[in-house]
Amino acid sequence: MRLDLARILVARTRMNPVFLDTPQYECEPLGDALGCRLILKVETLNPVRSFKGRGTETVLNRLHDSGAADAVVCASAGNLGQALAFGGRSRGIGVTVVASSAANPLKIERMKTLGANVILVDGEIEQALEAATRYAAETGAFLVEDSRDVDTCEGAATIGVELADLPGELDAVVVSLGAGAMASGVGHALKSLRRGTEVICVQPENAPAMTLAWRAGRPVEVGVPDTIADGVAGRYVLPEVLDDLASVVDDAVLVTEDGIVEAMRLIHVHAGLVVEPAAALGVASILEGGGRFDGRTVATILCGSNVSPTDFDGWTRGGRGRS
Amino acid sequence: MRLDLARILVARTRMNPVFLDTPQYECEPLGDALGCRLILKVETLNPVRSFKGRGTETVLNRLHDSGAADAVVCASAGNLGQALAFGGRSRGIGVTVVASSAANPLKIERMKTLGANVILVDGEIEQALEAATRYAAETGAFLVEDSRDVDTCEGAATIGVELADLPGELDAVVVSLGAGAMASGVGHALKSLRRGTEVICVQPENAPAMTLAWRAGRPVEVGVPDTIADGVAGRYVLPEVLDDLASVVDDAVLVTEDGIVEAMRLIHVHAGLVVEPAAALGVASILEGGGRFDGRTVATILCGSNVSPTDFDGWTRGGRGRS
């Protein structure tokens, strides 16, 4: 386990407070619809509309301490890039984001508005990472790698520190799983501070790389992701992140695309929030859990809301979105 | 001025924290659409989906201290009743809410789910208040009067205490005006803690009682409210609240129904939030401000999101909602 609770607590004290102490409350209407007592942790009401600012603040603060570079580069499906652009802009650090040309256009546009230099490449997130790695080698920019860079995991772990403070019972947390930073971070914080809470990762069945790897105990071959949840649509597994997850995650489950859409719709109706597909995985896992969560107290993290209105409407109203 | 900063600060320390430290951040996409630097203060992510919990917590804590009654009653268009029901339930205090039979059905339903005894009467909010007053006299229940009861104003004032802590400039706050608790509370806190910030109240032109009274310096006769913003649709002015507003409010403006709907739509698109009409008044005032806010830093309080999906869609998609 690479993560360290003391470092996480220090990171929390140094972060832009706009990302901290996010709402966490019982949403009774949504819980009633799902048959459990549901706690929402809302990470969408900040300048980048996702939880990623917690990680990028941590990366940028430590980079400032070390003085290692005055520019950064990352590969991103969108949310990491926005958060890095936001943090870099306020610190005078140049930010380059390499994204797949198939990435969410809204996210690309927001990165540019926040001042990032955006480079588009063909392929998936993994091809973007190869290009970002080359860019770093050529220019000397610091390469921020989501989940591989432990700062991104420890920043996300501050969500778990806050969840651990919830009053009353907390039987389980269902947390979206992509490359693994949020799941390992939240899992580590909860296993350190609130051991009795079950930590369950959730991934789309159409982008199951990390889940299948967690179950097998090693990376496994999967096909190209085919999910509307662009924020978690990776294909390859980082062994060090898999190791981190092994010690803090109790279960890993998969959900359908229909379940994700229905979860987005229910969150909109009962909590008044637009969330992106990757943020609805936890609610989808309760919907498709076959009664596993009935009567229990379950928290989920609404981790991002960067979705175009057209896509959102297309999915949740039975029409067609972008993919 | 009835409000007292020391009491407000004490009230804040005693409140259920689920209502406190709500998100306040610059929403750049919405600010870009409006031509200003816009700060959103989001009061909708809590168990009652509005700011009213801050006031009812304050009322109930002081009632507990005095031991004056073990039951409460209020007249409410919906949000006060929900908040009182929530606070009463956790304290074992019986809650009765008298509402107009024309009130928002979603809000009525939520009050009942939270355990309130709901009594419906014909007429407007003022007729509901008459019935609630009779109920209090007959049963000994403590009558909670929105805005007349200074606890409701001082509870709402804690929003202003938090806004005063915002980093950077804050040129103005545009705040929804109904009976006046939120406007006087936020105004008092800001004039005490951040004097340079202009405090501007906003009301629908179709429910302008308090605004016209503020301008005239005395209550004036107005017609029956005819606005979708049920949360601020009162007709009569409380003289003591008018006095409070006189010393802390710099201006009071009116907005159109079309402006309210367009503001709701923009908040949904750019911030990913469903808000009820009364919460969109501030953004509407910027839209209809004729350039008054161009380039300035302006905060607004998204004070509630209790609106049915059917109404919201009907209004923001050009169809017809409930009224």
Side-chain angles (χ1 to χ4, degrees):
Chain A
M1 165 53 69
R2 300 174 300 154
L3 282 69
D4 178 81
L5 182 63
R7 279 203 307 262
I8 293 164
L9 295 175
V10 170
R12 197 162 173 282
T13 67
R14 299 187 58 193
M15 203 173 285
N16 184 331
V18 79
F19 296 112
L20 289 175
D21 294 316
T22 53
Q24 50 188 29
Y25 67 101
E26 182 181 359
C27 182
E28 288 185 45
L30 185 50
D32 289 348
L34 296 170
C36 66
R37 188 167 169 267
L38 185 72
I39 311 282
L40 295 180
K41 176 74 168 163
V42 185
E43 295 291 312
T44 66
L45 283 309
N46 65 51
V48 301
R49 291 179 67 163
S50 85
F51 79 103
K52 293 279 186 183
R54 295 180 187 253
T56 52
E57 287 289 302
T58 306
V59 168
L60 293 168
N61 285 339
R62 293 199 186 136
L63 191 63
H64 177 267
D65 292 347
S66 71
D70 57 4
V72 294
V73 60
C74 73
S76 173
N79 284 344
L80 179 69
Q82 282 183 69
L84 201 59
F86 176 81
R89 185 178 64 175
S90 69
R91 291 169 172 85
I93 292 175
V95 175
T96 298
V97 182
V98 186
S100 160
S101 52
N104 179 327
L106 178 85
K107 293 180 179 179
I108 301 291
E109 191 53 42
R110 288 292 305 143
M111 287 188 250
K112 290 181 180 170
T113 304
L114 289 164
N117 169 35
V118 178
I119 300 171
L120 297 179
V121 298
D122 290 338
E124 309 294 320
I125 184 68
E126 286 79 7
Q127 282 71 50
L129 181 58
E130 287 170 17
T133 305
R134 283 195 303 275
Y135 182 92
E138 289 163 9
T139 68
F142 180 84
L143 177 66
V144 181
E145 285 190 80
D146 196 14
S147 305
R148 174 169 281 167
D149 185 335
V150 75
D151 291 342
T152 63
C153 307
E154 292 185 345
T158 59
I159 298 172
V161 172
E162 294 170 18
L163 283 173
D165 262 346
L166 275 170
E169 299 192 352
L170 183 57
D171 297 317
V173 174
V174 282
V175 53
S176 304
L177 176 60
M182 185 165 69
S184 68
V186 170
H188 183 71
L190 286 172
K191 293 303 175 189
S192 303
L193 298 168
R194 196 157 180 158
R195 177 158 293 278
T197 300
E198 192 179 14
V199 176
I200 304 165
C201 294
V202 189
Q203 222 169 18
E205 65 178 17
N206 288 355
M210 197 56 126
T211 301
L212 299 184
W214 182 85
R215 291 177 183 168
R218 58 179 170 71
V220 294
E221 197 66 31
V222 298
V224 176
D226 180 23
T227 175
I228 61 170
D230 59 306
V232 294
R235 183 174 179 186
Y236 299 104
V237 169
L238 298 168
E240 58 269 51
V241 182
L242 192 58
D243 281 348
D244 293 339
L245 290 175
S247 59
V248 298
V249 168
D250 299 295
D251 199 1
V253 302
L254 298 172
V255 293
T256 68
E257 297 294 296
D258 285 349
I260 296 170
V261 167
E262 177 62 4
M264 291 169 73
R265 194 186 68 77
L266 289 173
I267 293 165
H268 190 244
V269 167
H270 293 297
L273 285 168
V274 174
V275 300
E276 61 182 275
L281 299 179
V283 170
S285 75
I286 301 172
L287 275 174
E288 298 185 341
R292 173 176 185 172
F293 299 101
D294 286 1
R296 300 177 73 198
T297 300
V298 188
T300 193
I301 303 156
L302 304 181
C303 56
S305 70
N306 287 300
V307 55
S308 82
T310 308
D311 286 344
F312 188 86
D313 286 351
W315 294 323
T316 61
R317 291 169 191 276
R320 286 190 54 79
R322 196 168 38 84
S323 77
Chain B
M1 165 52 68
R2 300 174 300 154
L3 282 71
D4 178 79
L5 182 64
R7 278 204 308 262
I8 293 164
L9 295 174
V10 170
R12 196 161 174 281
T13 67
R14 300 187 58 194
M15 201 173 285
N16 185 331
V18 80
F19 296 112
L20 290 176
D21 294 315
T22 53
Q24 49 189 29
Y25 66 101
E26 182 181 359
C27 181
E28 288 185 46
L30 184 50
D32 290 348
L34 296 170
C36 66
R37 189 169 167 266
L38 184 73
I39 311 284
L40 294 180
K41 176 72 168 164
V42 185
E43 294 291 311
T44 66
L45 282 309
N46 63 53
V48 300
R49 291 179 67 162
S50 86
F51 79 102
K52 293 277 186 183
R54 295 179 186 253
T56 51
E57 286 290 302
T58 306
V59 168
L60 293 168
N61 285 339
R62 292 195 188 143
L63 190 62
H64 177 267
D65 292 347
S66 70
D70 57 3
V72 294
V73 60
C74 73
S76 174
N79 284 344
L80 179 68
Q82 281 184 72
L84 201 58
F86 176 82
R89 185 178 66 176
S90 70
R91 291 168 171 86
I93 292 176
V95 176
T96 298
V97 183
V98 185
S100 160
S101 53
N104 179 328
L106 178 85
K107 293 180 180 180
I108 300 291
E109 192 51 41
R110 288 293 303 144
M111 287 188 249
K112 291 180 180 171
T113 305
L114 289 163
N117 168 36
V118 178
I119 300 171
L120 296 180
V121 298
D122 289 338
E124 308 295 319
I125 182 70
E126 286 80 8
Q127 282 70 50
L129 181 57
E130 286 169 17
T133 305
R134 283 195 303 274
Y135 182 93
E138 289 163 8
T139 67
F142 180 85
L143 176 66
V144 181
E145 284 190 80
D146 197 14
S147 303
R148 175 169 281 167
D149 186 334
V150 74
D151 290 342
T152 63
C153 308
E154 292 184 347
T158 59
I159 298 171
V161 172
E162 295 171 17
L163 283 172
D165 261 347
L166 274 170
E169 300 194 351
L170 182 57
D171 296 318
V173 174
V174 282
V175 53
S176 304
L177 177 60
M182 185 164 71
S184 67
V186 169
H188 182 71
L190 286 171
K191 293 303 176 189
S192 303
L193 297 168
R194 195 155 180 160
R195 178 157 292 278
T197 299
E198 193 179 14
V199 176
I200 302 166
C201 295
V202 190
Q203 223 169 18
E205 64 179 16
N206 288 356
M210 196 57 125
T211 301
L212 299 184
W214 182 86
R215 290 178 184 169
R218 56 178 172 72
V220 294
E221 197 66 30
V222 298
V224 176
D226 180 23
T227 174
I228 61 171
D230 60 307
V232 294
R235 183 173 178 186
Y236 299 104
V237 169
L238 298 168
E240 58 270 51
V241 182
L242 193 58
D243 280 349
D244 293 340
L245 289 175
S247 60
V248 299
V249 168
D250 299 296
D251 200 1
V253 301
L254 299 172
V255 293
T256 68
E257 297 294 295
D258 284 350
I260 296 169
V261 166
E262 178 62 5
M264 290 170 73
R265 194 186 68 77
L266 288 173
I267 293 164
H268 191 243
V269 167
H270 293 296
L273 284 168
V274 174
V275 299
E276 62 182 274
L281 299 179
V283 170
S285 76
I286 302 171
L287 276 173
E288 298 185 341
R292 173 177 184 172
F293 300 101
D294 285 1
R296 300 177 73 197
T297 300
V298 188
T300 194
I301 302 156
L302 303 182
C303 55
S305 70
N306 287 300
V307 55
S308 81
T310 306
D311 286 345
F312 187 87
D313 287 349
W315 294 323
T316 60
R317 290 166 191 277
R320 286 189 55 78
R322 196 168 38 83
S323 77

